[in-house]
Amino acid sequence: MSDTQNRLRKQLESPNFDPQNHVKQLSQQSDGDRDLQEHRQKIQNLADETAQNLKKNVYKNYRQFIETAKEISYLESEMYQLSHILTEQKSIMESITQTLLSTDKDETAKEMLAAFPKETEEVKQRTLTTLLEKVEGCKNIMETPGRYLVYNGDLLEYDVDNMSQIQKVHAFLMNDCLLIATWLANRRGAVKYKYNALYDLESFAVVNVKDNPPMKDMFKILMFPDSRIFQAENSKIKKEWLEILEETKKKKVVKERHKKEEEVPNSPVRQEVSTNPFDVEEPLYSEEAVDLSPEWIQELPEDLDVCIAQRDFEGAVDLLDKLNEYLKDEPVTPRVKELRGKVDERVRQLTDVLVFELSPDRSLRGGPKATRRAVSQLIRLGQSTKACELFLKNRAAAVQTAIRQLRIEGATLLYIHKLCNIFFTSLLETAKEFEMDFKGNTGCYSAFVVWSRSAMKMFVDAFSKQVFDSKESLSTASECVKVAKEHCTQLSEIGLDLTFILQSLLVKDIRAALVSYKDIIIEATKHRNSEEMWRRMNLMTPEALAKLKEEMRSCGVGNFEQYTGDDCWVNLSYTVVAFTKQMMGFLEEGLKLYFPELHMVFLESLREVILVATQHVDYSLRCEQESEKKAFIMQNAVFLHEIVLPVVERRFEEGVGKPAKQLQDLKKNLRPMRVNPESTMSVV
């Protein structure tokens, strides 16, 4: 058989295989319909085998595909970072070369600038004013003193995700900011552009984008929380933009550094000595008390911007920790306050980025571990409360999405198994990740307990909608609740017991289910009672009798043998036997659903069901005049009182753990010996 399959496989895999010729030859060679059916089955088996192999290959390579995608993402981030570093180094090397080769030229320029400083400043500002008159909505740009135009030009903006062209823009680079204006195509007159965005030079980083035809001559501006890609007219203009942007950013840093140094007083001021003995001497800090000259401190704000733009959150927090350690025991001078102000602005930006990383709008795949990076950095920034809140919101959205995506199966129990597996596994993973991330923050554990209750309510809503709202049988409902209880106990291994919460959320639906099923049993019993003829059961076959004995034995009625006779007869009526089986089934299913809050409801339901049967037997016993039938009815009454009721009482005490006083009182009041044969009125 395997050789035949191999030959068939090779024949189908042949590049010259012709289906029509193959079918034609097969029809000529076959003896009849049976051969065609066998050949069809062979092809079907081969197709099933091929499908299984394909499925195995997909599962086998799926994990490798995910790992490869992650590596590509990391590599892309590293390439952006490397490109930025190379561009910065290239700019530094060119500036050094230019400085060495054009010393005379620089000196001449300085002399011209010193000779005509006012004219140069006025010319630059006049040029900027003239250009900005063409831009709508930027009248306040010139309100900043000393601002002038450095470079400007037309660019094309592209979408970061799909690299499609968005719009034509005009960029104005000034000595302290970058203005982006969109082109107004149908506008006549002097105004040709509309204000779009204004970025401080310290708030973004410039990254070169590698040419990938037809996408070329592009560069990217990285700022919080987004990035923008622009295309220059040609490679020369692109190079000018990159060089001038980097040079302008550095000039601004140098200018601010010189400005701070000039603010330091050159000559000490003699302090007047106070003659008032009650004056409190205030501490005076010298500007030289804190050394802020190290290069890493001077470039710290810009380095933080680069780290934020490149999503290097760990590097940004490391820089902040290094600065805090450096300034730990230092006095708070005006220069330190100024530095702190700039750093605090970057801390707010970094916090906003980390908050966005944990928002439910982001991808929820990867499980709780995917949030570890952002959570750990927020905790290091002293935002443990916010990290806890965002982490739990993220996991709540993930759990809700997983429950919503679960397909509703036709079999309720199968759906509940899947629902419990998804929910409690997610809850367990979230608890373990929470314990790992917030190990040193014990104050956050109460928030997790509150979150667990809300998550459990979400689970119970989906559970009740499928189990109780769809009017499933009590046996199905009890099995589903049993599955949920078993999964809930798994959380005890991490010290989290949500069984009480599960019970409190389900108690309303279970109470309604018990009452509903009790009413069904009562109606069925009353219907059987109305057709009762008080005759012995004849099961016709020994197999049916053996089956009934086994059912009674499984219900707990062990001495049922004394009520069976010869030739498949049972010395009980059909109504009493059917009631016994239904009653014991209700008891067993009710015990599976039992909570302490349901004690009285369950007991009252059992009592009402028993009363319906016993009152009918009592009434029939009083009304029957025929002695033989009366003896048979008495035998059924004794069976209910002496056999069924003790079994119900004993089984209830075993399942609940405490006696059922209502059932004991009911048994005392229903003794058949109290029956008055002469009366047709019930005395119960």
Side-chain angles (χ1 to χ4, degrees):
M1 189 69 179
S2 60
D3 294 339
T4 306
Q5 289 287 95
N6 291 333
R7 286 198 301 270
L8 180 60
R9 182 186 290 106
K10 291 180 180 180
Q11 188 177 2
L12 294 176
E13 291 176 351
S14 174
N16 300 325
F17 175 73
D18 188 356
Q20 293 182 355
N21 292 336
H22 178 74
V23 174
K24 186 176 180 181
Q25 294 175 5
L26 187 64
S27 301
Q28 293 174 355
Q29 295 174 3
S30 62
D31 294 336
D33 181 65
R34 184 175 181 181
D35 291 344
L36 293 176
Q37 291 290 344
E38 291 179 356
H39 196 78
R40 180 180 180 276
Q41 186 62 36
K42 292 177 184 178
I43 295 177
Q44 184 62 42
N45 294 338
L46 189 60
D48 294 340
E49 183 181 352
T50 304
Q52 289 295 328
N53 292 334
L54 286 174
K55 189 180 294 184
K56 290 179 180 178
N57 288 333
V58 170
Y59 290 156
K60 181 179 179 182
N61 298 325
Y62 184 68
R63 186 176 296 277
Q64 296 179 359
F65 173 77
I66 294 177
E67 294 177 354
T68 304
K70 290 182 180 178
E71 292 297 331
I72 291 174
S73 177
Y74 297 151
L75 184 61
E76 182 182 8
S77 176
E78 293 176 357
M79 289 301 297
Y80 279 139
Q81 186 176 1
L82 182 61
S83 175
H84 176 70
I85 294 174
L86 290 175
T87 303
E88 187 177 357
Q89 290 181 349
K90 180 181 177 182
S91 177
I92 294 173
M93 293 297 296
E94 289 180 355
S95 64
I96 293 174
T97 304
Q98 187 177 3
T99 303
L100 294 175
L101 295 178
S102 58
T103 306
D104 296 337
K105 184 178 179 181
D106 291 343
E107 291 178 356
T108 304
K110 289 180 180 178
E111 291 176 0
M112 292 293 294
L113 186 62
F116 308 100
K118 186 174 181 181
E119 181 181 356
T120 305
E121 186 77 15
E122 289 178 354
V123 170
K124 291 180 179 180
Q125 291 185 355
R126 194 182 308 120
T127 303
L128 176 61
T129 304
T130 303
L131 287 174
L132 292 182
E133 287 177 353
K134 301 179 181 180
V135 182
E136 178 183 318
C138 61
K139 294 182 180 180
N140 57 345
I141 298 295
M142 291 304 300
E143 294 180 359
T144 303
R147 177 175 289 174
Y148 59 86
L149 183 68
V150 177
Y151 193 76
N152 74 98
D154 290 330
L155 298 170
L156 292 177
E157 184 176 4
Y158 283 77
D159 188 88
V160 179
D161 297 326
N162 53 27
M163 297 304 292
S164 61
Q165 183 175 333
I166 300 177
Q167 59 188 346
K168 181 180 178 181
V169 301
H170 194 91
F172 299 87
L173 176 62
M174 287 159 270
N175 59 324
D176 61 344
C177 61
L178 175 66
L179 171 66
I180 304 295
T182 56
W183 183 53
L184 300 174
N186 301 323
R187 181 66 64 87
R188 295 181 180 180
V191 179
K192 296 182 179 180
Y193 307 100
K194 183 178 180 181
Y195 173 85
N196 179 262
L198 183 68
Y199 303 109
D200 190 273
L201 291 181
E202 296 180 352
S203 66
F204 65 86
V206 185
V207 178
N208 180 31
V209 177
K210 185 178 179 181
D211 290 346
N212 185 17
M215 301 300 174
K216 59 181 182 177
D217 304 327
M218 293 183 172
F219 61 93
K220 181 182 288 189
I221 294 181
L222 304 174
M223 79 291 288
F224 173 79
D226 302 314
S227 60
R228 302 178 73 170
I229 292 183
F230 299 100
Q231 183 184 40
E233 186 176 351
N234 52 51
S235 59
K236 181 181 177 182
I237 295 179
K238 169 190 172 181
K239 182 179 179 181
E240 290 178 358
W241 269 109
L242 292 174
E243 292 176 352
I244 295 175
L245 277 167
E246 290 297 329
E247 184 178 354
T248 307
K249 286 166 68 71
K250 290 180 180 178
K251 284 183 179 179
K252 184 182 179 185
V253 174
V254 173
K255 183 178 179 181
E256 290 183 353
R257 188 184 304 170
H258 290 167
K259 185 177 179 181
K260 294 173 186 176
E261 292 176 355
E262 290 174 359
E263 291 177 356
V264 180
N266 296 325
S267 58
V269 180
R270 184 174 180 181
Q271 205 174 3
E272 294 184 2
V273 180
S274 175
T275 58
N276 187 354
F278 297 101
D279 283 348
V280 179
E281 184 178 358
E282 296 182 357
L284 296 176
Y285 300 116
S286 172
E287 290 293 327
E288 289 77 14
V290 183
D291 183 15
L292 300 180
S293 60
E295 185 177 357
W296 70 271
I297 294 182
Q298 297 294 330
E299 298 179 355
L300 182 64
E302 187 174 357
D303 290 341
L304 288 174
D305 289 335
V306 173
C307 289
I308 294 172
Q310 295 178 348
R311 300 169 60 82
D312 183 13
F313 307 137
E314 293 82 359
V317 179
D318 290 340
L319 287 174
L320 293 172
D321 290 344
K322 184 178 179 182
L323 177 66
N324 292 331
E325 184 65 25
Y326 184 81
L327 300 177
K328 184 177 181 181
D329 299 325
E330 300 293 342
V332 183
T333 64
R335 291 184 62 192
V336 172
K337 288 183 179 179
E338 184 178 358
L339 177 62
R340 284 287 190 188
K342 292 183 178 180
V343 171
D344 290 343
E345 178 64 27
R346 272 70 179 182
V347 171
R348 282 192 292 271
Q349 293 180 8
L350 178 59
T351 303
D352 292 340
V353 175
L354 294 174
V355 168
F356 179 70
E357 285 293 312
L358 291 173
S359 65
D361 297 333
R362 300 281 289 173
S363 176
L364 299 174
R365 297 185 177 180
K369 294 181 181 179
T371 62
R372 185 181 300 171
R373 185 185 180 205
V375 169
S376 60
Q377 303 312 315
L378 276 176
I379 293 175
R380 290 179 63 189
L381 289 173
Q383 302 281 348
S384 58
T385 303
K386 182 177 290 186
C388 175
E389 178 184 357
L390 293 171
F391 172 79
L392 295 178
K393 282 184 178 179
N394 181 281
R395 296 313 307 152
V399 172
Q400 188 174 11
T401 302
I403 293 177
R404 192 184 300 117
Q405 292 177 349
L406 182 62
R407 189 175 65 180
I408 298 178
E409 302 286 350
T412 302
L413 189 58
L414 178 60
Y415 172 81
I416 294 302
H417 271 289
K418 292 183 178 180
L419 176 65
C420 291
N421 188 41
I422 289 176
F423 174 76
F424 287 102
T425 301
S426 299
L427 197 62
L428 187 62
E429 291 177 353
T430 301
K432 291 181 178 179
E433 185 65 26
F434 186 90
E435 188 176 9
M436 183 180 299
D437 293 344
F438 299 92
K439 192 173 183 180
N441 298 275
T442 55
C444 297
Y445 280 79
S446 57
F448 178 76
V449 174
V450 174
W451 175 86
S452 300
R453 179 180 177 84
S454 63
M456 183 63 74
K457 188 177 186 304
M458 187 192 312
F459 163 78
V460 170
D461 289 342
F463 182 94
S464 298
K465 184 177 180 181
Q466 187 66 18
V467 176
F468 296 107
D469 293 353
S470 58
K471 304 299 181 182
E472 291 290 340
S473 64
L474 192 66
S475 59
T476 302
S478 63
E479 287 297 325
C480 293
V481 173
K482 180 181 178 184
V483 171
K485 285 182 179 179
E486 291 174 353
H487 278 82
C488 200
T489 54
Q490 295 177 1
L491 298 177
S492 59
E493 66 181 61
I494 59 170
L496 184 65
D497 189 1
L498 300 178
T499 306
F500 176 75
I501 296 177
L502 176 66
Q503 293 176 354
S504 62
L505 293 173
L506 285 176
V507 65
K508 181 179 178 181
D509 291 323
I510 295 178
R511 181 188 292 111
L514 288 174
V515 173
S516 175
Y517 196 69
K518 174 206 69 174
D519 294 338
I520 293 174
I521 295 177
I522 291 175
E523 288 300 321
T525 303
K526 287 182 178 179
H527 178 71
R528 287 193 298 267
N529 291 343
S530 64
E531 299 177 352
E532 179 61 76
M533 302 297 294
W534 293 113
R535 295 175 181 174
R536 293 192 303 163
M537 288 181 65
N538 185 4
L539 298 177
M540 308 300 291
T541 62
E543 291 78 9
L545 179 60
K547 182 179 178 182
L548 179 60
K549 290 180 180 179
E550 182 61 31
E551 289 177 352
M552 287 297 177
R553 192 178 300 110
S554 63
C555 290
V557 183
N559 50 356
F560 186 71
E561 298 283 347
Q562 62 182 345
Y563 292 96
T564 60
D566 299 331
D567 299 330
C568 307
W569 287 93
V570 178
N571 297 324
L572 294 172
S573 72
Y574 167 77
T575 301
V576 173
V577 173
F579 168 78
T580 302
K581 292 195 292 184
Q582 202 168 18
M583 176 66 196
M584 297 306 298
F586 177 55
L587 175 63
E588 292 298 328
E589 301 303 335
L591 289 176
K592 293 179 183 177
L593 296 170
Y594 179 82
F595 299 153
E597 295 84 354
L598 299 170
H599 185 81
M600 292 305 300
V601 176
F602 189 32
L603 263 181
E604 284 299 320
S605 298
L606 292 174
R607 182 176 176 276
E608 290 181 27
V609 171
I610 293 171
L611 274 175
V612 172
T614 54
Q615 285 178 349
H616 171 68
V617 173
D618 179 72
Y619 178 77
S620 300
L621 191 61
R622 297 174 190 280
C623 295
E624 186 59 51
Q625 301 297 327
E626 189 178 342
S627 60
E628 185 176 349
K629 238 178 208 186
K630 202 165 194 176
F632 180 69
I633 297 173
M634 176 62 78
Q635 189 174 5
N636 284 271
V638 172
F639 174 76
L640 289 176
H641 184 271
E642 302 297 334
I643 303 297
V644 177
L645 286 182
V647 171
V648 171
E649 184 181 347
R650 183 179 68 253
R651 185 68 188 92
F652 183 87
E653 292 181 5
E654 291 174 355
V656 174
K658 52 185 177 181
K661 188 175 183 301
Q662 288 84 345
L663 295 181
Q664 293 174 356
D665 295 340
L666 179 64
K667 183 181 177 183
K668 293 177 182 178
N669 296 330
L670 293 178
R671 291 184 181 277
M673 287 61 176
R674 297 184 59 211
V675 173
N676 182 5
E678 303 299 329
S679 173
T680 59
M681 302 295 293
S682 174
V683 295
V684 177

